[in-house]
Amino acid sequence: MFDFIPEIPVADWVDDLTDWIVETFAFIFDPLKNEFGDFIEWIADMLGAVPPFIIMLLVVVGAFFITGKKFGLAAFSLVGLIFIENQGLWIELMSTFTLVLMASLLSVIVGVPVGILMSKSKVAEAIILPILDFMQTMPAFVYLIPAVAFFSIGMVPGIFASLIFATPPTVRFTNLGIRQVSTELKEAAEAFGSTGAQKLFKLELPMAKGTIMAGINQTVMLALSMVVIASMIGAPGLGNPVVSALQRAQAGAGFVAGISIVILAIIMDRYTQSIYKKK
Amino acid sequence: MPVIEVKGLSKVFGKNVKDSLKLLDEGKKKEEILQATGDTVGVNRVSFEVNQGEVFVIMGLSGSGKSTLIRLINRLIEPTEGSVMVDGEDLAQMDKENLRRVRREKLSMVFQNFGLFPFRTILENAEYGLEVQGIEKEERAKKAKEALEMVGLGSYVEQYPNQLSGGMQQRVGLARALANDPEILLMDEAFSALDPLIRKDMQDELLELQDSMHKTIIFITHDLDEALRIGDRIALMKDGSIVQIGTPEEILTNPADEYVERFVEDVDRSKVLTASHIMHRPETVNIEKHGPRVALERMREEGLSSIYVVDGHRNLKGYVTADDASDARKKEIKDLNEILRTDVPKVPLDKPMQEIIEMIYDTPVPIAVVDGEKLKGIIIRGSFLAALAGEGEVKSDV
Ligand SMILES: Nc1ncnc2c1ncn2[C@@H]1O[C@H](COP(=O)(O)OP(=O)(O)OP(=O)(O)O)[C@@H](O)[C@H]1O
Ligand SMILES: [Mg+2]
């Protein structure tokens, strides 16, 4: 069908574009790859060097307090973390946690300002919304390809791919949260002579805080879900045993690593939720 | 002297503003313009002046453009046409920075649903206007506390808005507006969300505050009773235009057209008008300074047969009659206390005329209108009847 149209070389174009970007922006990618990569590995190593029981203690005590002095999450965290340690996955857990933390932090640093921009300008919203849709509907694997092209393999490309995949909820929820602030409150801020920045920081962001945190919670969960996928490009962590179990059809090892990821997910989810559900 | 002068102010919502303005020039109605251009006329060529210390009420049915008009005044809504002069500066033409300055220093607004920030304490809410001006924490806390005390909420500073009743929340809204000591208060249906009794309290409180503050207030309401109670002058709006501006009594007695007439026809004057509406400025003598001589002199000047006696704080002490005073002078009595009569017929400021009717016929002296102990005015039989009939000389600004 349509044989009269020659095949359009879209793939070639993208290849060329990627090559061009890699060469042109090498001055950005290389230090990111090297320095930032070293930094992240250093954090992961540091966390790995801390005796596990200290980290367990911090997490459990933290869980007790952020859930309003209830024992549920604290007990779950204790059992879950001991289980992971017991299965010999502690170092992997620390790597994964570092990766998720970094990816989430960067997502927030990028996502919140973009969300603010969107909430302030109809034009920006009209441009950014379809991009977000695109970012979220694209299969996550696809991001690994440019990530590898830019940063070769390891943690940095993993974080890069997570960033693209996990940022949209933070952007969307920030935009939504600010737009939801009632007209009357915005008028009140303006009527008393607030500047744009005063209105943003003294009214809109505090009002939108809960909604933004809900978005960040989703971002963290998405970043975590990227972990297994990022293992395919050599990012260390809990995804690795899953990938190798997949390759060797070891159901047991895969299951144990999978459970560990779920435990981490639940703990991180409850931690981030407790921040925005406080009031 | 007018503090606010609004001239030819219009707001057209929509995309064909030019065409709509042309149609307005041709005298087309709001509905016709909506059909022709799809634009909504919010406010249509409105002009008025508000004087220093005046309570100017804007009244009208829902959708008549009241909220739009008040927001054009502090430019929360950009005017399509016209000018808003505040102390000789045109807000409509101002750049952003000057506009902010005027909003911070001269205009404060009180909102229908209070517009309080839920995550701030009462004190922090009241501080907001000062905070954005960059005033130091201690000073702004001090001023905000004073404002909160003025509205009777001095002990609630640490609470959050959702811990307060509606009436209290609106007091916070009022305190926030008063904290930066503006010349002008803009109040958009400020009491409409409150239930009737609290609403009346708030009206009283506003009037009381106004007695000492002398702010210029633009107050919006769709409630005629409220307008009559608090307004020095009332503007009636319909479809974005002002149909009539006048004192409450002018509006009641001389409705400009059918629209106004329909607005006021349900009003039972004897219920709406209160002692404060129909009272006159009282002639008085001061018991601490004056004796029978002065009292007699005053009564002769004014052609009265009795005169009210107050102390230095205008607290009502009683009255003296001309006969007693001239007797006393002959006997060379110096102290008014000796001839003071204390069987005074007294009513509070907000006593409806209806309830005064019963008293007015069998009192030998005019009825004293008091606010607590303080003498605020007197009601004379003749003008009372005139007011009841909806005509004649009636005063509200004593
Ligand atoms: N942002 C807007 N966009 C379009 N039309 C508007 C806008 N704001 C107000 N209007 C229209 O302008 C007219 C006046 O509205 P406004 O809110 O000023 O009325 P109001 O007298 O305050 O009514 P209410 O008593 O219901 O508060 C209405 O026809 C309304 O639909
Ligand atoms: Mg309104």
Side-chain angles (χ1 to χ4, degrees):
Chain A
M1 243 206 298
F2 301 118
D3 280 341
F4 57 94
I5 307 177
E7 188 182 326
I8 304 168
V10 177
D12 291 342
W13 291 345
V14 175
D15 281 348
D16 292 345
L17 180 70
T18 311
D19 287 344
W20 179 81
I21 293 176
V22 170
E23 277 164 36
T24 318
F25 295 101
F27 69 97
I28 298 175
F29 293 141
D30 286 346
L32 275 181
K33 187 164 62 191
N34 301 325
E35 263 76 17
F36 184 59
D38 289 349
F39 172 66
I40 294 166
E41 263 162 42
W42 177 76
I43 294 182
D45 289 347
M46 292 297 288
L47 282 175
V50 178
F53 76 89
I54 292 187
I55 293 180
M56 287 181 195
L57 191 72
L58 290 176
V59 172
V60 169
V61 170
F64 177 69
F65 283 107
I66 58 162
T67 53
K69 305 200 176 170
K70 293 204 187 88
F71 288 103
L73 182 61
F76 176 84
S77 307
L78 185 66
V79 174
L81 292 176
I82 289 176
F83 171 78
I84 295 175
E85 214 274 337
N86 172 268
Q87 296 298 307
L89 291 172
W90 188 259
I91 295 296
E92 283 78 3
L93 176 69
M94 289 301 112
S95 296
T96 295
F97 176 69
T98 309
L99 204 132
V100 172
L101 187 71
M102 280 297 152
S104 307
L105 270 180
L106 289 175
S107 290
V108 171
I109 291 171
V110 175
V112 171
V114 173
I116 292 172
L117 176 72
M118 251 173 106
S119 72
K120 294 288 167 188
S121 146
K122 277 204 178 122
V123 179
E125 190 183 38
I127 295 171
I128 295 170
L129 265 183
I131 298 179
L132 294 180
D133 292 339
F134 180 85
M135 281 162 76
Q136 277 182 303
T137 41
M138 190 70 119
F141 292 95
V142 177
Y143 299 128
L144 296 180
I145 303 161
V148 171
F150 299 155
F151 303 108
S152 80
I153 59 167
M155 269 203 177
V156 177
I159 289 178
F160 176 82
S162 299
L163 186 63
I164 299 179
F165 184 63
T167 307
T170 296
V171 178
R172 280 184 205 278
F173 278 70
T174 304
N175 177 37
L176 181 72
I178 292 179
R179 283 183 186 270
Q180 270 175 347
V181 178
S182 79
T183 331
E184 201 181 68
L185 289 183
K186 287 184 191 172
E187 282 183 343
E190 270 172 44
F192 284 97
S194 310
T195 61
Q198 285 172 330
K199 189 168 114 187
L200 180 66
F201 287 105
K202 290 179 193 291
L203 171 67
E204 291 169 328
L205 286 181
M207 284 299 284
K209 202 174 92 190
T211 311
I212 295 176
M213 281 311 301
I216 292 177
N217 172 265
Q218 286 197 15
T219 287
V220 172
M221 291 298 107
L222 285 182
L224 191 56
S225 77
M226 216 31 212
V227 162
V228 178
I229 300 169
S231 295
M232 293 175 22
I233 51 171
L238 289 171
N240 266 329
V242 177
V243 172
S244 60
L246 186 67
Q247 283 157 355
R248 292 174 219 157
Q250 294 168 320
F255 179 76
V256 169
I259 287 286
S260 305
I261 294 176
V262 171
I263 291 169
L264 177 63
I266 290 176
I267 297 175
M268 291 192 84
D269 181 49
R270 294 299 128 84
Y271 258 79
T272 43
Q273 267 190 28
S274 73
I275 302 177
Y276 72 89
K277 289 208 171 136
K278 221 163 240 166
K279 275 191 187 163
Chain B
M1 211 200 82
V3 174
I4 304 173
E5 281 181 86
V6 171
K7 273 205 207 96
L9 196 60
S10 298
K11 177 66 192 185
V12 176
F13 295 102
K15 299 206 168 88
N16 305 305
V17 172
K18 270 197 188 141
D19 296 343
S20 301
L21 284 176
K22 210 179 287 164
L23 291 176
L24 273 183
D25 283 334
E26 291 166 15
K28 289 278 196 301
K29 298 235 168 62
K30 177 172 167 162
E31 260 167 53
E32 296 167 323
I33 293 173
L34 181 64
Q35 293 215 326
T37 64
D39 289 357
T40 307
V41 178
V43 169
N44 176 13
R45 309 275 154 82
V46 160
S47 301
F48 59 89
E49 292 178 357
V50 186
N51 296 317
Q52 151 60 32
E54 191 174 28
V55 180
F56 187 81
V57 173
I58 299 172
M59 192 170 67
L61 298 175
S62 184
S64 57
K66 308 177 297 288
S67 295
T68 307
L69 177 56
I70 206 169
R71 281 164 177 72
L72 289 173
I73 292 172
N74 63 355
R75 227 173 101 184
L76 287 175
I77 296 178
E78 283 294 325
T80 309
E81 234 185 33
S83 64
V84 179
M85 306 293 280
V86 172
D87 293 335
E89 287 181 294
D90 188 359
L91 260 71
Q93 304 296 334
M94 230 170 231
D95 61 24
K96 283 207 166 143
E97 195 149 325
N98 276 310
L99 179 63
R100 264 204 300 277
R101 172 180 56 80
V102 172
R103 283 175 177 171
R104 286 173 178 185
E105 291 170 6
K106 295 188 178 170
L107 295 158
S108 280
M109 193 159 177
V110 183
F111 293 85
Q112 178 165 7
N113 299 304
F114 323 135
L116 300 179
F117 297 1
F119 52 89
R120 286 176 159 242
T121 63
I122 299 311
L123 182 65
E124 287 165 348
N125 265 292
E127 277 178 355
Y128 187 78
L130 302 163
E131 187 181 322
V132 295
Q133 294 179 40
I135 289 172
E136 298 241 339
K137 193 154 180 45
E138 266 170 38
E139 191 184 342
R140 69 179 194 238
K142 187 173 141 261
K143 285 186 175 168
K145 266 189 199 137
E146 281 168 13
L148 283 169
E149 251 144 46
M150 265 164 56
V151 299
L153 284 182
S155 48
Y156 289 85
V157 290
E158 294 304 328
Q159 309 264 9
Y160 284 87
N162 63 6
Q163 296 171 291
L164 268 54
S165 69
M168 286 155 99
Q169 290 190 40
Q170 193 55 298
R171 279 164 214 257
V172 180
L174 192 56
R176 175 176 66 180
L178 295 175
N180 38 349
D181 196 23
E183 276 172 55
I184 300 161
L185 280 181
L186 304 174
M187 307 181 72
D188 185 7
E189 307 224 16
F191 304 149
S192 299
L194 306 174
D195 58 52
L197 279 178
I198 297 180
R199 186 168 178 171
K200 203 158 158 288
D201 287 347
M202 288 297 286
Q203 292 165 359
D204 291 343
E205 187 153 336
L206 180 70
L207 289 174
E208 206 168 287
L209 281 169
Q210 174 64 356
D211 242 16
S212 55
M213 302 183 308
H214 308 295
K215 303 274 183 215
T216 304
I217 300 178
I218 297 188
F219 191 102
I220 288 189
T221 179
H222 56 248
D223 175 14
L224 182 63
D225 287 351
E226 187 165 71
L228 294 172
R229 270 178 68 90
I230 66 173
D232 293 324
R233 279 191 305 148
I234 298 173
L236 258 134
M237 284 189 82
K238 183 195 175 193
D239 292 344
S241 310
I242 290 186
V243 237
Q244 185 173 10
I245 299 183
T247 62
E249 290 71 23
E250 279 165 9
I251 301 268
L252 281 183
T253 51
N254 280 318
D257 64 7
E258 258 176 53
Y259 176 77
V260 186
E261 206 162 305
R262 250 187 299 134
F263 229 102
V264 302
E265 71 187 356
D266 296 336
V267 179
D268 176 352
R269 278 165 223 289
S270 68
K271 276 192 196 142
V272 168
L273 296 181
T274 63
S276 65
H277 285 113
I278 51 173
M279 67 191 186
H280 285 249
R281 190 182 301 283
E283 288 302 324
T284 57
V285 285
N286 184 341
I287 198 159
E288 292 161 14
K289 287 194 268 182
H290 305 141
R293 252 185 103 95
V294 177
L296 201 57
E297 197 99 330
R298 281 232 174 124
M299 282 185 265
R300 197 171 290 151
E301 268 168 31
E302 303 293 331
L304 305 171
S305 59
S306 63
I307 191 163
Y308 275 108
V309 180
V310 295
D311 67 11
H313 301 289
R314 286 197 79 74
N315 289 324
L316 180 60
K317 289 294 169 193
Y319 67 95
V320 294
T321 63
D323 293 343
D324 289 353
S326 77
D327 268 1
R329 207 181 65 165
K330 277 178 207 143
K331 294 184 195 150
E332 305 218 338
I333 295 173
K334 289 269 156 56
D335 191 349
L336 274 177
N337 273 311
E338 293 187 28
I339 56 165
L340 191 67
R341 297 183 182 218
T342 52
D343 56 333
V344 185
K346 268 193 289 194
V347 295
L349 276 170
D350 57 357
K351 185 78 138 187
M353 277 180 80
Q354 203 183 24
E355 293 168 36
I356 303 174
I357 296 177
E358 298 145 23
M359 307 173 59
I360 196 89
Y361 289 104
D362 42 38
T363 64
V365 290
I367 296 176
V369 182
V370 292
D371 181 10
E373 286 298 300
K374 290 197 170 34
L375 179 65
K376 290 291 180 178
I378 55 172
I379 298 172
I380 303 162
R381 197 182 300 168
S383 60
F384 179 87
L385 295 176
L388 204 58
E391 58 198 37
E393 175 206 17
V394 180
K395 267 195 201 163
S396 68
D397 55 347
V398 173

